Amino acid sequence: MSRFDVNFETETTMMKMMKSLGQKVGQLSLTLGALLATSAALAVNDLPGGPAVNQLDLHPPVTKIAHEQQWLHNFMMILCIVIFVAVFGVMFYSVFKHRKSKGHKASNFHESVKVEIAWTIVPFIIVIFMALPATKTIVAMKDTSAADLTIKATGIQWKWGYDYLKGEGEGIGFVSTLDVNQRALSDSGKPAGDDYLLKVDNPLVVPVNKKVRVITTANDVIHAFMVPSFGIKQDAIPGFVRDTWFRAEKTGDFYGQCAELCGKEHAYMPIHVKVVSAEDYTKWVDGKKKEAAAKADDPNKVWVQADLIARGGKVYSANCAACHQPNGKGGGPIKPLDGSPVVQDADKGKQIHVVLTGQNNGAMPSWKQLSDTEIAAVITYTKNNWSNKTGQTVQPTDVAAARK
Amino acid sequence: MSAVLDPHGHVAGEHGHDDHAHGHPHGWRRWVYATNHKDIGTLYLLFSFTMFMVGGVLALLIRAELFEPGLQIVNPQLFNQLTTMHGLIMVFGAIMPAFVGFANWMIPMQIGAADMAFARMNNLSFWLLIPAALMLVSSFFMPGGAPAAGWTLYAPLTLQMGPSMDAGIFAMHILGASSIMGSINIIVTILNMRAPGMTLMKMPMFCWTWLITAYLLIAVMPVLAGAITMTLTDRHFGTSFFTPAGGGDPVMYQHIFWFFGHPEVYIMILPAFGIISHIVPAFARKRLFGYTSMVYATSSIAILSFIVWAHHMFTTGMPVTGQLFFMYATMLIAVPTGVKVFNWIATMWRGSMSFETPMLFAVGFIFVFTMGGFTGLILSVAPVDIQLQDTYYVVAHFHYVLVAGSLYAMFAGFYYWAPKWTGVMYNETRGKIHFWASLIFFNVTFFPMHFLGLAGMPRRYADYPMQFTDFNMLASIGAFGFGLSQVYFFFFVALPCMRGKGAPAPQKPWEAAEGLEWELPSPAPFHTFETPPKLNASATKILA
């Protein structure tokens, strides 16, 4: 703990130094760029929580892990520079002194087991010395237990879906995409703005000083959820879930981008996390809940079968088709729904039970986070689609009853 | 005849060897039916330089697009095609075949063998490259364009690609087959055809490093073939190795790929270590400090290269123990690599150095490659890697080791051995211009990328936030300078040598160079060591 505090001071002064240095380098290269007759007078400022102009170092950290990463990076870099200067000091001394043109005669020494052992053992010890502090951070980084809030981030070509799974705000879900104007700006070739390519329609909102566990997965190809200020980068892998965590120590806006090549629009799926105070977070959650309630279905409504089937088709393609396939045939270990005895069973309760609780040790996950109406719709859809012609209708009230 | 591309088969300053007596074919037949290791070596080198230029043009298109934010030249889809093909062409079309070219030229001459062990297979392994390269390059004109999944071809993105992906996979299979044949040839040549008296521990370092490289190639090329074949069957035959919907695992692809991919990194650098280990002693006029430890260090690097692959995958979400193991193993590689650098410096220490172009490139190699080595060490620290993975820091890192590493070593090797190949000396001033221009522009291009990476700019991005503009401009300017330097090298250094223009090269242009190749006249005759030479005790000289 104390190590990080001590280094924090030096870190900030170092960052300041680097920043001013960066501006100088930046000015120089800007002049160079102007010389080469580039059109744009690229007026841009630092984006707090995002990249700074000609930033030379990692982002200013706002989590403990990011602090440790920065400390480790500085530690490694300083150590490497010291070794580099020492080794190449020797080499360049030799290069300048031991020249034929200066009349230096070659000695004829070679092969020394002692020297070889020395320069094997010493680097080995240095490497161990480097690995030790990193080990502690890895263990801390990987500890996603006891989270206050769990959010699922789903990579979708080319946007992020956020679902609040556990903790305050449970049940909130929305999709976050790049601001459309920015994509047009990119095509125009004349972009502008400090938050260019980082502005989204719906930022992810989280409370400050709370441990937030981010579960990542993807719908199509691999994406990566990255927020440099938090020191997190976690691949989002289709069909699998992975997790990471952060506890933001400051309120504010923090930015990241997708960090795994995911196709054409890879550069256009940014991440914007808004860290707010506990009170503001509660207000935001209430707002979202009200918004959702306004849109929600009345769980006591009695539906006609055709409407339920139509709605169920949508629920199916959004949630089930990735595994069970649009044709309901499944594949590999994924069981088919088309012709399934559970689906065709006269007892509707069997399928409701499977959908609510899952099956085969979670190979079929529990879908209880879906609403009663959605579950009723999707079950009715599967019971009356493909070769399944049961004619049965499951109403939201049936699902509600089964939940108890 | 030598490497000189003279249609009449004559060279200025002929040493009076009449090679025509053997009745080898002339004109195009000489090259198409080539079984002579020197001719095949020349073909490999010309092919790889051509591919280097093609890959370079792709790189410059990338840098032109990234000169400023916004899309000006290419659309994002084409951009992804450019990055993918730049990587594939440079790795499989430029660097790997170039080292095989060096191996073909130098291994038989260094070990006192008449030719490579399997002359016709040698011909086949070269000529397989041509259709593969044509297929790769022509994929730009297929429906949907070239593969755009990155050179690592990660699933399941590869499953979304158009038909060019299949062409790409087929091309990689052919290139892999060619590499495996080349490796078998090299291993058999080195193990069976050394002149009497040249024991393994007296063998030149370049042969040692290539022997180890060849084993690595045989071990891992089939693994790559497996990975891309599984991709192919996933695409067309309903398997689901990597499709989660069918129970497959996209991360498994990465494990298989990097089990190939990490040794591949050493395949591209070990022969470079070999070349440098010849040049430094020759120009320091002093023996290599620790020959034995160099051999052991090379072997250790090769063995370790098999157990570090998942450091490319720290962000996939490995368990703690996995991250720790791969971090420790990766850091360990710094030890034998350090041993090599220390040995080179100890060889230079209290030598009597002169700095002709080969030595400049060798010292440039040691200096700049080591910077790439250090960023590698920083990246091996998993928590830091979490920040830097898939950013420009990684791009900077691997260009420091592949361009300033492998490529510089090959330039060093060219300047060192071209007098032997062509019979003429290259122009020293032009060589020096080439070196300094390459060194400066290389650093202007890639050094700013460290900062971009630290600031979090992801790689493979067609467009970027405004704050990254200046460093990207700088990198683009450097890239064009670097590209032009290589064009200069071809027209003003390499081509004149190939045409035989320049001062006639003496048999041993470098006074302290050691090895059997310097026992041969310049240019090396078409056939050499037809009868095994009698060697002195250190196996570096022929006894009359």
Side-chain angles (χ1 to χ4, degrees), chain A residues 193-207:
Chain A
D194 295 345
D195 58 357
Y196 173 60
L197 292 189
L198 296 169
K199 191 177 175 191
V200 299
D201 53 359
N202 302 309
L204 180 66
V205 179
V206 297

Side-chain angles (χ1 to χ4, degrees), chain B residues 135-148:
Chain B
M135 205 160 10
L136 258 186
V137 175
S138 67
S139 67
F140 273 107
F141 307 102
M142 293 176 190

Side-chain angles (χ1 to χ4, degrees), chain B residues 372-384:
Chain B
F374 276 123
T375 53
L377 193 58
I378 291 174
L379 283 168
S380 75
V381 178
V384 179

